[in-house]
Amino acid sequence: DVERGVCQNILVKHSESVYSVAFSPDGRLLATGSFDKAIYIWDIARGQIVHGYRGTRVGASAADRTLYSGKISFFLTLSLLVNIPANTTWAQNGVTIAGGNGLGSATNQLNHPYGLFVDDDQTVVIADYNNHRIMQWKNGNTTNGQVLAGGKGQGNGLHQLNRPTDVLIDKETNSLIICDYGNRRVVQWPCRSGTTPGEIFIDKIGCWGLAMDEQRYLYVCDTEKDEVRRYQLGEKNGTLVAGGNDYGNGLNQLHYPTFLFVDRDHSVYVSDKENHRVMKWVEGAKEGIVVAGEQGEGSALTQLNSPNGIFVDTLGTLYVADQGNNRVMRWTQVDKKQGTVIVGGNGQGKGATQFNGPVGLSFDRHGNLYVADEFNNRVQRFSIE
């Protein structure tokens, strides 16, 4: 405690020299890396370890700048911090935390929300598709959101967006990365509202979904080429990591890939929307593995209907926004043949237990579930029980 000059905690676990530390953006977590080939995530207030990771890369050599270079970024993706037990349940009544005031363009409204990103402090950033803008709703303020990007009408100027489909926050640069679908480009935009307009990262791409790994490689779903590519920031061509063999239902093909998720092993999970399945492509693989669906379009527990937003937790459990069935499903590593409904599945509607076209999906670090409910023009939060 700097103000009082008092040591709050001495964190003891590493067996060799610690060469890198980094706080999470909210200051509540600390990552430490050491020559003992371990990374530990500490809860600062309690002085306790909440996660530990071991591997050959940590401390392999002083030249390996991945984990220590005098200063490291708090790079761990949300999947590393969200550990959801297999028997977890959620409240079935969703609480509207954004929108829900009818279709419109006021700051308390949304117009077909698509992808969303949940920050460490439970702030939710939403791709507001038909309002051509990115909105932010802070935790505890469900009345009005704030425009972070776009909102200047539909167009292709650098101050405009055209039907954005997905968004994430790059913590290294404190900026938004946006799938500007209608303009066929991926753009970067400062997180601060009303500041400098966007910068084009990648153009001439049918971009839909985005993900970023811990090394800050950007992954983009291209619905025109039915593929996923990985980009180093500043790179224009990228590396093919999934699909790219024309559209189809083969294991080396995709058909209208929408959203994606990248785990800590750099495996890429893709919502293969028109094939009504979710595919997993291990890093370097020439074909994918079906991890959910592929039993044809339908509403049985073995089936999906136009899957969209996906999330994978530390156990490898997959969560899917099953849009056409108005439900969110969970598929475990134990039973890959069928999933379970965790929320929704109560018919199309606008009730607290219903959806009308769930699209974007994510979790906060506590395990609360957030779903963009497209045709109800709202975002729902389902509290972990």
Side-chain angles (χ1 to χ4, degrees):
D1 185 319
V2 175
E3 293 181 353
R4 295 186 297 151
V6 176
C7 177
Q8 291 184 321
N9 282 301
I10 298 175
L11 309 177
V12 180
K13 181 64 176 178
H14 289 291
S15 59
E16 295 190 32
S17 299
V18 176
Y19 274 83
S20 54
V21 297
F23 285 96
S24 65
D26 62 8
R28 289 181 289 190
L29 300 174
L30 179 72
T32 60
S34 165
F35 273 142
D36 64 4
K37 301 180 181 179
I39 297 174
Y40 294 116
I41 311 299
W42 305 81
D43 183 309
I44 296 298
R46 296 183 296 155
Q48 296 179 356
I49 293 172
V50 294
H51 289 287
Y53 306 96
R54 302 195 66 83
T56 58
R57 297 191 67 181
V58 183
S61 72
D64 183 357
R65 299 173 66 86
T66 304
L67 293 167
Y68 46 84
S69 56
K71 172 185 177 292
I72 64 171
S73 300
F74 194 85
F75 59 77
L76 294 172
T77 61
L78 189 59
S79 66
L80 300 184
L81 298 177
V82 177
N83 187 1
I84 303 172
N87 60 349
T88 298
T89 59
W90 287 263
Q92 294 302 293
N93 287 343
V95 175
T96 301
I97 57 97
N101 295 298
L103 184 152
S105 59
T107 56
N108 69 342
Q109 294 177 305
L110 296 167
N111 188 343
H112 295 257
Y114 274 39
L116 54 82
F117 182 92
V118 183
D119 208 351
D120 300 308
D121 61 358
Q122 296 177 297
T123 295
V124 181
V125 180
I126 305 158
D128 191 6
Y129 182 81
N130 271 346
N131 280 325
H132 316 292
R133 65 188 184 184
I134 303 298
M135 295 293 290
Q136 172 184 271
W137 253 270
K138 291 200 173 282
N139 184 28
N141 180 8
T142 59
T143 305
N144 286 286
Q146 179 183 20
V147 179
L148 291 186
K152 304 291 185 182
Q154 181 178 8
N156 61 5
L158 289 179
H159 65 293
Q160 293 176 303
L161 296 171
N162 182 355
R163 293 174 290 154
T165 52
D166 204 8
V167 59
L168 60 79
I169 297 177
D170 178 9
K171 295 299 183 67
E172 185 78 10
T173 58
N174 192 32
S175 62
L176 304 169
I177 299 179
I178 304 165
C179 268
D180 190 8
Y181 173 74
N183 285 321
R184 302 182 64 246
R185 64 191 185 187
V186 177
V187 296
Q188 182 185 36
W189 209 295
C191 279
R192 300 175 303 279
S193 176
T195 56
T196 310
E199 172 189 351
I200 298 174
F201 260 13
I202 308 164
D203 60 3
K204 299 177 183 177
I205 180 173
C207 57
W208 193 278
L210 291 169
M212 182 178 281
D213 68 19
E214 83 286 353
Q215 297 175 353
R216 296 184 66 237
Y217 281 94
L218 185 67
Y219 298 71
V220 185
C221 277
D222 187 336
T223 59
E224 294 175 5
K225 295 182 178 179
D226 297 291
E227 67 182 25
V228 179
R229 285 188 174 267
R230 180 183 65 226
Y231 297 83
Q232 211 165 2
L233 295 183
E235 184 184 10
K236 297 298 182 184
N237 295 321
T239 301
L240 181 70
V241 295
N245 295 296
D246 203 355
Y247 72 87
N249 61 5
L251 293 179
N252 68 342
Q253 294 177 301
L254 298 168
H255 190 183
Y256 211 87
T258 53
F259 293 95
L260 72 160
F261 191 95
V262 181
D263 70 13
R264 57 191 171 191
D265 296 323
H266 303 149
S267 293
V268 178
Y269 294 76
V270 187
S271 278
D272 192 7
K273 185 175 180 179
E274 293 300 318
N275 284 323
H276 309 288
R277 66 187 184 183
V278 177
M279 300 290 290
K280 177 183 178 181
W281 293 66
V282 176
E283 186 176 20
K286 298 301 182 183
E287 61 181 35
I289 304 163
V290 180
V291 291
E294 206 187 36
Q295 301 298 319
E297 175 185 348
S299 59
L301 294 179
T302 58
Q303 295 176 303
L304 296 168
N305 183 349
S306 301
N308 269 288
I310 55 177
F311 188 93
V312 182
D313 68 15
T314 54
L315 299 176
T317 301
L318 170 69
Y319 300 84
V320 186
D322 189 9
Q323 185 182 25
N325 288 318
N326 294 297
R327 64 191 184 186
V328 174
M329 297 196 71
R330 171 172 58 194
W331 298 68
T332 68
Q333 291 288 311
V334 176
D335 186 0
K336 297 180 180 179
K337 296 297 182 184
Q338 70 176 38
T340 56
V341 179
I342 61 170
V343 293
N346 298 304
Q348 177 180 309
K350 58 183 179 181
T353 65
Q354 294 178 302
F355 295 114
N356 188 356
V359 181
L361 175 150
S362 192
F363 290 85
D364 64 25
R365 65 189 188 91
H366 303 290
N368 300 309
L369 169 64
Y370 297 75
V371 182
D373 189 7
E374 181 186 358
F375 297 104
N376 283 325
N377 300 294
R378 65 187 182 183
V379 174
Q380 298 288 88
R381 180 174 63 207
F382 298 86
S383 298
I384 191 169
E385 293 183 330

